[in-house]
Amino acid sequence: KPVVLGLTNQTPSFLARNPRGQVPTLEVEGGSLSESNAICRFLANESLSLLSAAPSSSKKPIYPRDPTTRALVDCWLDIDCELFLTV
């Protein structure tokens, strides 16, 4: 459903999914994710799972399997924390 900031993200039903009332929020099996970097990692890991389950797929995953390369991607995902952090 679309979210109208300041209105629908403060409803009891939305706050039950995300007590901080923040957007984005992704509902997943077992709960909700509310941080965009966590959501990106979740979706990327889901793509790895789907590719692993597919019979000999030639498609490349959007999240690297190699730990070093994955860490480099994570650095870029987390750079916003450094750039936009206010003290």
Side-chain angles (χ1 to χ4, degrees), residues 2-69:
V3 174
V4 179
L5 292 178
L7 183 61
T8 57
N9 66 314
Q10 298 301 315
T11 63
S13 63
F14 190 90
L15 293 172
R17 291 187 298 262
N18 182 345
R20 296 171 63 199
Q22 292 186 324
V23 176
T25 295
L26 177 67
E27 292 183 51
V28 298
E29 186 176 321
S32 297
L33 302 174
S34 60
E35 292 297 326
S36 57
N37 290 354
I39 291 170
C40 287
R41 285 186 181 92
F42 172 82
L43 294 172
N45 281 310
E46 281 295 298
S47 77
L48 285 175
S49 299
L50 292 173
L51 284 175
S52 297
S56 70
S57 174
S58 62
K59 295 183 178 179
K60 289 187 172 189
I62 59 174
Y63 206 37
R65 296 177 195 273
D66 171 65
T68 303
T69 308

